[in-house]
Amino acid sequence: MVDKRILLVDDEEAIIRVLTVSLKSDGYDVIPAYSGNEGLALYEQHMPPIVLTDIKMPGMDGLELLKRIKNANPDAEVIVITGHGDMDSAIEALRFGASDFINKPVRDEALSIALKRAHEKLEMKNQLRRYTNDLEHMCQIATEEVRRKSDFQDKLITSSNDAIVATDENGMIVTFNPGAEEIFGYSRLEVVRKMKFDDLYPEEIAEEFISGFRRKRDMKGGGWKEVIIINKNGKKVPVRFSGTLLYEKDSVIGSVGFFQDLREIKRLQQELVNSERLAAIGQTVARLAHYIKNILTGLKGGTYIVNIGLDKNDTDKLRTGWSMVQRNIGRISYLVMDLLTYSKEREPDYRDCYPNDIAEDVCELMEAKATENQIRLIRAFDPAIGELCMDPDAIHRCLLNFVSNAIDACLFDLELDKKWQVCVKTELFDDSAVKFVVSDNGGGMTDEVKGKLFTAFFSTKGGKGTGLGLLVTQKLVYEHGGKIDVTSEPGKGSTFTMTLPFRKKNADTAKH
Amino acid sequence: MAKKILTVDDDPDIIAFVKTVLEENGYIPMIAKNGEAGLAMVREEKPALVILDVLMPKQSGIRMYREMRYDKELKDIPVIVLSGIAKRTFLRSQEALTEFGDQPVPEPDAYIEKPVEPEELAEMIKKFVG
């Protein structure tokens, strides 16, 4: 609703009367005042939007009144009434902020034009104020929202367990959260705006950032990787790192690096490794002690019999006892050799040899034990295999292990009347390797046993096995660049296969 | 008359050792290299005592011990188990067989874990056969 109040100030009562009539007929609510002082008092009391005042008045004149009112309310619309031709006063009044002036004698249409303009200005001012208010309000909301978001992100960054380090486009560090303090050992105050990323990051990461900044391209890698950081105290801190350049449109505006502290994880891992190692050592020592105890039993038994032989001058006893001692010395030698082979790095000793001859040699060695226990030893050698360059000692040991295991599998078979047999087969494979296959129809293995075959000191033979044979075999096969396969079925038997690649014969190489 | 004592073991060292202990103490040693052969020999020879290993090819000592205890004629022959296997393990294996439906058997008369001193073995034998 438009405020139609108007303060009318003139020392001439007649003019007030005439103008009041005229203004009232235009719908105005006139507040009359007969002097500058009264006008000011009434203005302060009513605060009407429009003031119409004569300039020439005794006491406080119209200009003074104008100044006072404008002082009180810069938005007030003050129209001055000037004497005819008194342009100086009119200009003076406009300088002091009058909205308009009308000359005396006041004509109705001049008055209503001036009033109309005053109203329009008021309306514009109102609108402007409304817009300004709206704008300010919206600006406030937006500011609040931005503040809230930045607060949220601040909290996010601060409460992150990971270290977060952000730089501006010049590499100057601008964000350094408590996680970063924890890892790097510097306080936020020491770093923010004081250090650049290359003061802090390990060289390999710093270089990536530098080249990223230079090429204005993102850094390679992208994913997480493990690096070592040297912190303020010179300590090495293992971390997982991931970093990226920050873009706005197409230009780089900074970088951010994320670091996860791996100290605790590394410590736990180390502890786990240590305790596993200790457990393994404990188990190893226990099994080894058990096996050595068995050998010791043999040695003690041997010396007991030798002593009796000496006492009674009985050469038979002497021979029996002495052979026991010798046999057990042999067992110790094998054990020590197995342990050494198992624990030492060994290069295969490639020599020209006939693999079939080695297989035959192994069969001959085991023949007696097989025959004694009614086990048939079958040979199936591939005649295509001639002289090849391989490690003959490794082949011999592995094959001997396979065959003696196969014979044991038949011996310890729970079935009582089976026609046991062990088959030793050689086969040229792919013209680059020799396959040695040893299969038996003995007791076979359960999956549980199969799963533990290559575990150190695992043995199903009680005190009679070291639990090293297959482990050593596997090691020799791997060192020879070959592979080892096992298939087995409980009650049906097992098949062990090793495939060993061969080299060109030395003799051949020499020719070329 | 000297008494016959059967030792059942697949380890030639143990066989030689036990055989010598038996001879030194005036017994007649008899030898079997696995449970199957051992059982046959017990039936035939009716020894005064059996010294029995546990882990052997063909029939194990666990099975042979049960067979002896089921057999009316053999069940009173004393058995000393002489093994690298702990007594605990031997008894657990027997329990397992019982759980699978076999008749329960009493514990062996004596159980010696290898290694054994000759005097200890001799004393133990004397306890059962005099």
Side-chain angles (χ1 to χ4, degrees):
Chain A
M1 202 187 79
V2 184
D3 189 346
K4 295 287 257 185
R5 288 173 309 147
I6 189 164
L7 176 65
L8 180 56
V9 190
D10 204 312
D11 57 329
E12 286 175 62
E13 231 174 291
I15 288 181
I16 285 192
R17 214 168 32 241
V18 171
L19 286 178
T20 301
V21 170
S22 163
L23 287 167
K24 274 196 168 158
S25 71
D26 278 348
Y28 286 98
D29 185 2
V30 178
I31 305 161
Y34 302 96
S35 71
N37 280 327
E38 195 190 359
L40 188 60
L42 286 169
Y43 181 80
E44 279 165 0
Q45 191 186 333
H46 296 287
M47 299 290 281
I50 299 176
V51 177
L52 189 59
T53 180
D54 191 13
I55 294 246
K56 292 248 161 29
M57 286 185 294
M60 186 192 290
D61 69 356
L63 281 178
E64 184 61 26
L65 179 64
L66 165 67
K67 275 191 254 174
R68 298 276 186 95
I69 288 174
K70 277 285 175 188
N71 201 32
N73 176 16
D75 284 346
E77 289 292 320
V78 182
I79 303 166
V80 294
I81 304 168
T82 58
H84 186 66
D86 184 4
M87 280 312 284
D88 288 346
S89 295
I91 289 165
E92 185 80 355
L94 289 176
R95 257 193 345 119
F96 285 122
S99 321
D100 211 343
F101 63 91
I102 347 175
N103 284 319
K104 277 185 179 172
V106 178
R107 285 179 298 128
D108 278 356
E109 67 258 37
L111 180 61
S112 68
I113 287 169
L115 285 172
K116 194 174 161 229
R117 255 192 256 154
H119 272 298
E120 278 168 4
K121 267 161 91 181
L122 275 171
E123 182 53 29
M124 262 159 63
K125 273 185 196 158
N126 270 338
Q127 246 175 31
L128 198 63
R129 193 177 303 115
R130 273 205 301 278
Y131 286 148
T132 312
N133 279 347
D134 277 2
L135 207 62
E136 276 172 0
H137 184 61
M138 272 153 66
C139 190
Q140 207 181 344
I141 290 174
T143 312
E144 179 65 20
E145 179 69 17
V146 168
R147 198 188 56 74
R148 228 164 42 78
K149 281 208 167 135
S150 123
D151 255 19
F152 180 73
Q153 277 167 1
D154 246 22
K155 288 209 174 85
L156 213 65
I157 290 170
T158 311
S159 58
S160 163
N161 278 333
D162 294 350
I164 299 175
V165 180
T167 74
D168 62 14
E169 72 276 22
N170 299 314
M172 183 60 77
I173 292 168
V174 292
T175 300
F176 195 75
N177 75 343
E181 292 181 329
E182 182 70 29
I183 286 180
F184 290 96
Y186 293 97
S187 77
R188 210 174 68 84
L189 292 175
E190 288 176 286
V191 174
V192 168
R193 300 248 167 245
K194 296 205 176 97
M195 288 170 88
K196 296 183 107 178
F197 65 85
D198 44 354
D199 298 325
L200 214 53
Y201 292 180
E203 213 168 294
E204 55 176 315
I205 297 181
E207 270 169 11
E208 278 186 35
F209 274 110
I210 290 168
S211 74
F213 274 122
R214 199 172 43 227
R215 288 177 295 129
K216 303 258 182 275
R217 257 192 290 140
D218 214 347
M219 295 161 348
K220 58 181 187 298
W224 292 92
K225 64 173 173 187
E226 288 194 12
V227 290
I228 301 284
I229 276 171
I230 310 290
N231 73 3
K232 188 185 178 185
N233 306 321
K235 289 241 170 66
K236 287 180 176 174
V237 182
V239 295
R240 274 177 90 219
F241 160 81
S242 168
T244 183
L245 295 179
L246 301 173
Y247 293 89
E248 197 172 71
K249 300 221 170 79
D250 281 337
S251 53
V252 176
I253 56 160
S255 73
V256 62
F258 303 94
F259 301 83
Q260 293 178 337
D261 196 336
L262 297 181
R263 278 176 293 192
E264 184 65 7
I265 291 173
K266 293 276 176 200
R267 196 182 61 75
L268 290 174
Q269 272 174 352
Q270 192 53 48
E271 247 173 40
L272 192 68
V273 167
N274 282 348
S275 60
E276 272 173 2
R277 204 170 54 88
L278 282 176
I281 289 174
Q283 217 174 25
T284 304
V285 168
R287 287 183 185 275
L288 207 55
H290 183 71
Y291 186 68
I292 292 173
K293 194 176 78 179
N294 274 307
I295 298 175
L296 207 58
T297 308
L299 285 172
K300 277 169 89 174
T303 43
Y304 165 74
I305 297 170
V306 167
N307 281 335
I308 287 172
L310 287 174
D311 286 349
K312 303 198 168 160
N313 230 345
D314 181 339
T315 30
D316 260 8
K317 281 266 180 276
L318 270 175
R319 205 168 281 124
T320 310
W322 188 240
S323 75
M324 268 172 81
V325 171
Q326 279 177 320
R327 195 160 51 235
N328 282 288
I329 288 172
R331 284 169 82 188
I332 291 186
S333 311
Y334 274 120
L335 174 66
V336 170
M337 206 163 73
D338 273 356
L339 281 172
L340 283 179
T341 313
Y342 172 52
S343 57
K344 265 198 321 199
E345 291 291 314
R346 177 184 176 279
E347 278 291 306
D349 178 16
Y350 289 98
R351 273 179 285 150
D352 292 346
C353 60
Y354 291 92
N356 284 346
D357 288 359
I358 300 170
E360 175 56 37
D361 196 34
V362 169
C363 288
E364 277 169 22
L365 267 175
M366 299 308 294
E367 190 85 74
K369 192 176 179 189
T371 315
E372 188 189 340
N373 292 287
Q374 297 91 44
I375 298 164
R376 215 159 73 98
L377 196 56
I378 302 165
R379 297 155 169 85
F381 302 153
D382 185 347
I385 302 171
E387 190 177 18
L388 297 169
C389 183
M390 303 174 87
D391 182 344
D393 295 337
I395 296 173
H396 193 276
R397 276 184 77 186
C398 296
L399 216 48
L400 188 62
N401 200 322
F402 279 177
V403 176
S404 90
N405 277 348
I407 288 176
D408 282 344
C410 296
L411 277 177
F412 283 86
D413 192 357
L414 292 174
E415 274 182 63
L416 293 181
D417 34 34
K418 221 192 225 177
K419 294 256 174 262
W420 285 288
Q421 61 177 48
V422 171
C423 177
V424 182
K425 197 171 110 183
T426 64
E427 191 185 327
L428 196 61
F429 178 73
D430 216 9
D431 210 27
S432 64
V434 178
K435 243 186 194 173
F436 298 87
V437 187
V438 176
S439 47
D440 64 72
N441 62 348
M445 292 178 286
T446 59
D447 283 344
E448 197 199 341
V449 170
K450 229 173 93 179
K452 289 183 189 160
L453 275 186
F454 299 101
T455 309
F457 300 102
F458 172 78
S459 176
T460 55
K461 302 178 192 171
K464 287 151 193 161
T466 53
L468 280 174
L470 277 176
L471 206 65
V472 166
T473 301
Q474 186 188 43
K475 185 166 176 283
L476 290 172
V477 167
Y478 285 171
E479 280 167 350
H480 207 289
K483 66 190 187 83
I484 195 162
D485 286 306
V486 185
T487 58
S488 182
E489 205 180 318
K492 293 273 170 64
S494 309
T495 300
F496 283 74
T497 306
M498 61 172 179
T499 311
L500 297 177
F502 55 80
R503 292 185 174 177
K504 278 211 161 59
K505 270 197 302 170
N506 285 335
D508 287 352
T509 340
K511 267 185 245 164
H512 294 300
Chain B
M1 199 188 97
K3 285 175 177 154
K4 288 187 276 187
I5 293 179
L6 171 66
T7 177
V8 188
D9 205 306
D10 63 323
D11 183 342
D13 288 352
I14 301 294
I15 293 171
F17 171 74
V18 175
K19 181 169 170 272
T20 306
V21 172
L22 293 174
E23 285 168 353
E24 287 306 301
N25 288 278
Y27 303 109
I28 301 170
M30 309 183 73
I31 291 155
K33 286 188 175 177
N34 60 58
E36 194 187 16
L39 201 61
M41 206 170 274
V42 176
R43 291 209 163 102
E44 203 171 304
E45 302 280 346
K46 302 274 167 10
L49 174 76
V50 174
I51 299 170
L52 180 61
D53 184 24
V54 176
L55 268 192
M56 285 179 295
K58 298 209 174 159
Q59 207 177 29
S60 76
I62 296 167
R63 186 40 81 182
M64 176 176 164
Y65 179 71
R66 289 188 94 82
E67 294 292 334
M68 277 182 70
R69 287 297 173 253
Y70 293 153
D71 191 317
K72 268 196 192 96
E73 287 185 40
L74 308 180
K75 73 177 173 41
D76 294 325
I77 299 177
V79 172
I80 299 174
V81 174
L82 174 62
S83 173
I85 300 254
K87 185 179 182 184
R88 217 162 12 96
T89 314
F90 175 83
L91 292 180
R92 216 185 301 133
S93 309
Q94 295 290 7
E95 276 165 26
L97 285 175
T98 303
E99 274 168 27
F100 274 112
D102 283 7
Q103 287 294 311
V105 289
E107 280 190 27
D109 303 270
Y111 200 105
I112 306 173
E113 281 178 34
K114 290 174 188 169
V116 62
E117 298 296 328
E119 297 77 21
E120 191 191 342
L121 183 62
E123 237 167 77
M124 188 72 82
I125 295 167
K126 212 166 282 164
K127 211 173 96 185
F128 289 108
V129 297

